[in-house]
Amino acid sequence: MKQHSPRSGVTRRAVLSAAASIPLLSLPQIRTNSWAQGIDPLPSWNNELAKQTIIAFVQATVDSSKPTFVPPEARIATFDQDGTLWVEHPMYSQVVYCLERVPVLVKQKPQLQEREPFKTVLSGNHEAIAKLPLHELEKVLFATLTGMTTDKFKSEVEGWLKTAKHPRWKRPYTELTYQPMQEVLRYLRANSYKTYIVTGGGQDFVREYSQQVYGIPPEQVIGSAAGVTYGYGDDGKPILTKEPKLLLNDNDAGKPEGIHLMIGRRPYAAVGNSTGYRQMLEYTWAGAGPRLAMLVLHDDDKREYAYGPAQGLSDTKVGTFTQELYDEAKNKGWTIISMKNDWNRIFAFEAAGSRALQ
Amino acid sequence: MKQHSPRSGVTRRAVLSAAASIPLLSLPQIRTNSWAQGIDPLPSWNNELAKQTIIAFVQATVDSSKPTFVPPEARIATFDQDGTLWVEHPMYSQVVYCLERVPVLVKQKPQLQEREPFKTVLSGNHEAIAKLPLHELEKVLFATLTGMTTDKFKSEVEGWLKTAKHPRWKRPYTELTYQPMQEVLRYLRANSYKTYIVTGGGQDFVREYSQQVYGIPPEQVIGSAAGVTYGYGDDGKPILTKEPKLLLNDNDAGKPEGIHLMIGRRPYAAVGNSTGYRQMLEYTWAGAGPRLAMLVLHDDDKREYAYGPAQGLSDTKVGTFTQELYDEAKNKGWTIISMKNDWNRIFAFEAAGSRALQ
């Protein structure tokens, strides 16, 4: 968390940098203000630095007697989804959706059956599918996510969400959200923060379940977006058709650019888990006053997965959380969330406190 | 206002069409529910059909015992700005802003001084300026609205808003909002509607004052938008630069397209005042259940201006409310708001009830 400082310029940056490496409020004070009342807003978090930083940030920004106060209407918090709010391994759920749509698509357009990459996808050969280069995978994404009305897309995704299950937990993807992050979302909203999802995934896809799964309405989901075209159906009724044209690539620099387009102001808090979120965190952190910038580190190979700097794994298609980003985060004073050490519970369906450190 | 009907298909359309031409609730009932308590939510409106339709729509959608009930999270209302929420004559205020920025721009880039359309703008010849073709005017817009950081743009607009005055009323543009529409915005919000501005004007421009002037936060302003590019300033701090590239042309079909991009769901209420809003009103009206679609008719040449079908004026650059749109609206059962007959007061600075019909 970054503190407010009346200084400006280079000196201010140095002060901020130093200040960022220590918690804003001393621990006893946090306990008095919040926990003494018997209400722990983040029960699935162990009492480590990450939890303390989140609570200190909220307390600093909602107390109107403090110079760090942030007016309620300016309280914007942005969250990545895949790997930050829910499981992204072994594959982004939206990619699973697209691959599983291919048989239906081929039934409608049989000419695709012998064409790559559809042929490989239909083969069911997981190894070959995993090796598809990005530009081939994109063909599958465009073919299954565009070329239909927004209403048709909506009903297809709704149907899939009801039946699709994660291969490891055999549960719907929508149950694989991280309980500690759900608590952070609720805690922020209880303190008048507007919570947003800012995802590299498809905006229309995530909007189908964001309200139900995260309590985040469609208009607070920013993602990669295909353009739509307004027209009229056979019955003369207005329709919107999803076009195979990327209007917003919500990755890397596209994240702050998308935030400007959709929100029009800088977030006070931002959480991600990969290099694709570096710019969003930088942009958030560079604002005046208190800021919260966090990265989720996947370092729990027992309860979830371990990849990124925790395991030296950066060759995976998802979760490209590099050692370089880890070092940048540490240098800047961003908060690293260790799933292994910071979270005593990962999913709501697990027993509470399944891994309490204290 | 359109009523909910459990029927579907062609029959349902016919029923809706017929139902739309009569007020949903009988007048005595409206009076009992709302006015008998001594609280008139729309005091600047005469008790005519438009006012009754707005009140009937809200009452029908917020009463959970009715089949026309709309859940709070789905209550979206979209409003045009120019000519609907504030004065657009003799020129859109944003165009005035751009023209008034030209001398400053030429000081920074003297080579523009002898180039068209800048030369004409600098001449101050109102007639010649008014005759500039659209593609020439666009050069002025791009030159004055893009090519700078979002922070620089913000401070320029803020400065202008403090000093600029409308030529007729000699008041800041921000005081020239229509009091009756401010009441509708507040009335809808008091009933859990999320109010949006959907404007052909510049998104970043309107966002500078939307909160203060209309109580609408920046993220609830959708407008024509230039793309921004993320980068770093000389001090290494992240910056967003406004690019001369139109990302969203928020006119005509661009309005429902922009609504899908930014909100992701169909509005229940929509208000505009020109042909550029036809698609937004169609899209809103085509949804199931109760819908409100309204057009502001400028027919008061004494207190404001008269143009469009009221005066047969369609050759003006603003307010292209054609006879054709008027007829379509009447046929579909959309509500026409007559400034002359429906509003007893136009601006907040006027005496209340300056034109009460009863």
Side-chain angles (χ1 to χ4, degrees):
Chain A
M1 187 192 137
K2 206 174 93 175
Q3 286 187 66
H4 169 81
S5 161
R7 295 177 198 85
S8 63
V10 178
T11 320
R12 176 175 162 274
R13 287 182 66 81
V15 169
L16 291 174
S17 197
S21 62
I22 52 163
L24 178 69
L25 304 173
S26 64
L27 194 54
Q29 193 183 346
I30 297 174
R31 285 218 172 97
T32 310
N33 286 356
S34 172
W35 299 357
Q37 297 160 32
I39 307 155
D40 179 354
L42 304 174
S44 297
W45 292 70
N46 292 318
N47 186 17
E48 299 291 325
L49 185 61
K51 176 174 184 165
Q52 293 158 14
T53 305
I54 296 166
I55 292 176
F57 167 78
V58 170
Q59 292 189 338
T61 56
V62 302
D63 182 343
S64 61
S65 72
K66 290 202 175 77
T68 49
F69 177 70
V70 174
E73 66 273 16
R75 293 180 199 161
I76 304 283
T78 54
F79 291 78
D80 167 40
Q81 187 196 212
D82 295 301
T84 296
L85 295 180
W86 76 356
V87 174
E88 66 181 351
H89 258 287
M91 210 178 250
Y92 296 130
S93 59
Q94 190 179 1
V95 174
V96 177
Y97 169 79
C98 292
L99 295 175
E100 293 186 3
R101 290 295 307 165
V102 168
V104 185
L105 182 72
V106 167
K107 213 176 257 177
Q108 291 159 359
K109 299 181 185 176
Q111 69 274 23
L112 294 179
Q113 196 159 353
E114 291 303 312
R115 239 185 264 167
E116 288 297 357
F118 304 99
K119 198 177 165 183
T120 298
V121 174
L122 286 171
S123 75
N125 181 336
H126 290 295
E127 221 166 295
I129 293 169
K131 277 185 190 153
L132 282 172
L134 190 62
H135 69 274
E136 288 285 64
L137 199 60
E138 275 174 1
K139 283 185 199 164
V140 178
L141 302 190
F142 274 121
T144 53
L145 298 175
T146 69
M148 76 277 291
T149 66
T150 50
D151 285 346
K152 180 103 167 65
F153 177 73
K154 189 184 179 68
S155 72
E156 286 175 1
V157 175
E158 273 173 5
W160 182 82
L161 284 170
K162 277 182 203 149
T163 56
K165 293 211 161 101
H166 190 280
R168 173 169 164 187
W169 286 277
K170 319 286 183 208
R171 286 174 179 271
Y173 290 92
T174 49
E175 289 184 17
L176 295 176
T177 66
Y178 304 136
Q179 179 61 18
M181 296 307 281
Q182 292 275 18
E183 291 168 6
V184 173
L185 290 174
R186 281 196 290 267
Y187 178 45
L188 287 171
R189 287 197 292 262
N191 285 282
S192 301
Y193 276 86
K194 232 175 183 172
T195 54
Y196 280 81
I197 290 175
V198 177
T199 174
Q203 182 168 283
D204 284 350
F205 185 82
V206 180
R207 283 176 170 179
E208 283 311 317
Y209 54 84
S210 62
Q211 177 75 53
Q212 185 204 328
V213 173
Y214 302 114
I216 294 176
E219 62 270 22
Q220 285 165 224
V221 173
I222 305 170
S224 295
V228 295
T229 301
Y230 182 81
Y232 304 90
D234 294 338
D235 59 358
K237 272 186 107 169
I239 50 172
L240 292 169
T241 305
K242 285 168 70 72
E243 302 292 345
K245 186 189 71 174
L246 196 60
L247 198 65
L248 177 63
N249 181 356
D250 201 51
N251 286 295
D252 307 305
K255 289 190 195 294
E257 290 164 6
I259 287 170
H260 180 77
L261 177 69
M262 308 282 282
I263 309 179
R265 43 190 169 180
R266 197 190 301 255
Y268 273 85
V271 193
N273 80 310
S274 72
T275 51
Y277 284 85
R278 189 166 60 81
Q279 290 86 341
M280 180 173 91
L281 268 59
E282 285 174 352
Y283 178 60
T284 301
W285 193 251
R291 306 280 162 167
L292 184 70
M294 307 186 99
L295 282 162
V296 176
L297 179 67
H298 291 260
D299 58 356
D300 194 327
D301 59 353
K302 293 216 172 52
R303 295 185 301 167
E304 206 239 10
Y305 298 99
Y307 50 98
Q311 300 293 311
L313 288 174
S314 61
D315 59 342
T316 168
K317 277 197 179 180
V318 295
T320 52
F321 186 155
T322 59
Q323 187 64 44
E324 191 192 351
L325 179 66
Y326 185 88
D327 295 340
E328 180 182 349
K330 281 286 179 191
N331 284 337
K332 288 196 164 149
W334 298 350
T335 304
I336 306 285
I337 299 167
S338 158
M339 291 181 73
K340 192 170 171 180
N341 299 321
D342 283 314
W343 293 355
N344 63 53
R345 182 185 194 179
I346 294 196
F347 302 113
F349 56 78
E350 290 175 342
S354 59
R355 191 199 160 87
L357 285 186
Q358 47 217 304
Chain B
M1 186 190 138
K2 206 173 93 174
Q3 284 189 68
H4 169 81
S5 161
R7 296 176 197 85
S8 63
V10 178
T11 318
R12 177 176 163 273
R13 287 182 66 80
V15 170
L16 290 174
S17 197
S21 62
I22 52 163
L24 178 69
L25 303 173
S26 65
L27 195 54
Q29 193 182 347
I30 296 175
R31 286 219 172 96
T32 309
N33 286 357
S34 172
W35 299 358
Q37 297 159 32
I39 307 154
D40 179 355
L42 304 174
S44 298
W45 292 71
N46 291 319
N47 187 17
E48 300 291 327
L49 185 61
K51 175 175 186 166
Q52 293 159 14
T53 304
I54 296 166
I55 292 177
F57 167 78
V58 170
Q59 292 190 339
T61 55
V62 302
D63 183 343
S64 62
S65 72
K66 290 202 175 78
T68 49
F69 177 70
V70 174
E73 65 272 17
R75 294 181 198 159
I76 304 282
T78 53
F79 290 78
D80 166 40
Q81 188 197 213
D82 295 301
T84 296
L85 295 181
W86 75 357
V87 174
E88 65 182 352
H89 257 287
M91 211 179 250
Y92 296 131
S93 59
Q94 190 180 359
V95 174
V96 177
Y97 168 79
C98 292
L99 295 175
E100 293 187 3
R101 290 296 305 166
V102 168
V104 185
L105 182 72
V106 167
K107 214 176 256 180
Q108 290 158 1
K109 298 180 183 176
Q111 69 272 24
L112 294 178
Q113 196 159 351
E114 290 303 313
R115 241 185 263 169
E116 287 299 354
F118 305 99
K119 198 177 164 181
T120 298
V121 174
L122 285 171
S123 75
N125 181 337
H126 291 294
E127 221 166 295
I129 294 170
K131 276 185 190 151
L132 283 173
L134 191 61
H135 69 274
E136 288 284 62
L137 199 59
E138 274 174 1
K139 283 185 199 165
V140 178
L141 302 190
F142 274 120
T144 52
L145 298 174
T146 70
M148 76 277 292
T149 67
T150 50
D151 285 346
K152 179 103 167 65
F153 177 72
K154 189 184 179 68
S155 72
E156 285 175 2
V157 175
E158 273 172 6
W160 183 81
L161 284 170
K162 277 181 204 149
T163 56
K165 293 211 162 100
H166 190 281
R168 174 168 162 188
W169 286 277
K170 320 285 181 208
R171 287 175 178 270
Y173 290 92
T174 50
E175 289 184 19
L176 295 175
T177 66
Y178 304 135
Q179 179 62 17
M181 296 307 281
Q182 293 274 19
E183 291 169 6
V184 173
L185 289 174
R186 281 196 290 267
Y187 178 46
L188 287 170
R189 287 197 292 262
N191 284 283
S192 300
Y193 276 86
K194 233 175 182 173
T195 53
Y196 280 81
I197 290 174
V198 177
T199 173
Q203 183 167 282
D204 284 350
F205 185 82
V206 180
R207 282 176 170 180
E208 283 311 317
Y209 55 84
S210 62
Q211 178 75 53
Q212 186 205 328
V213 173
Y214 302 113
I216 294 177
E219 62 270 22
Q220 285 164 226
V221 174
I222 304 171
S224 296
V228 295
T229 300
Y230 181 80
Y232 304 90
D234 293 337
D235 59 358
K237 273 188 107 167
I239 48 171
L240 293 168
T241 305
K242 288 168 70 69
E243 302 292 346
K245 185 189 72 174
L246 196 60
L247 198 64
L248 177 63
N249 181 355
D250 202 50
N251 286 295
D252 308 305
K255 289 191 194 294
E257 291 164 5
I259 287 171
H260 180 76
L261 176 70
M262 308 283 280
I263 310 180
R265 44 189 169 181
R266 197 191 299 256
Y268 274 85
V271 193
N273 80 309
S274 71
T275 51
Y277 284 84
R278 189 166 60 81
Q279 289 88 340
M280 179 172 93
L281 268 59
E282 285 175 352
Y283 178 60
T284 300
W285 192 251
R291 304 280 161 166
L292 185 70
M294 307 186 98
L295 281 162
V296 176
L297 179 67
H298 292 260
D299 58 357
D300 194 327
D301 59 353
K302 293 217 173 53
R303 295 184 303 166
E304 206 238 12
Y305 298 99
Y307 50 99
Q311 300 294 311
L313 286 176
S314 62
D315 59 341
T316 166
K317 277 197 179 178
V318 296
T320 53
F321 187 155
T322 59
Q323 186 64 44
E324 190 191 351
L325 179 67
Y326 184 87
D327 295 341
E328 180 183 348
K330 281 284 178 194
N331 284 337
K332 289 196 165 150
W334 298 350
T335 303
I336 305 285
I337 299 166
S338 157
M339 292 180 73
K340 191 170 170 180
N341 298 322
D342 283 313
W343 293 355
N344 62 52
R345 182 186 193 179
I346 294 198
F347 303 112
F349 56 78
E350 290 174 343
S354 59
R355 193 197 159 89
L357 284 186
Q358 48 217 306

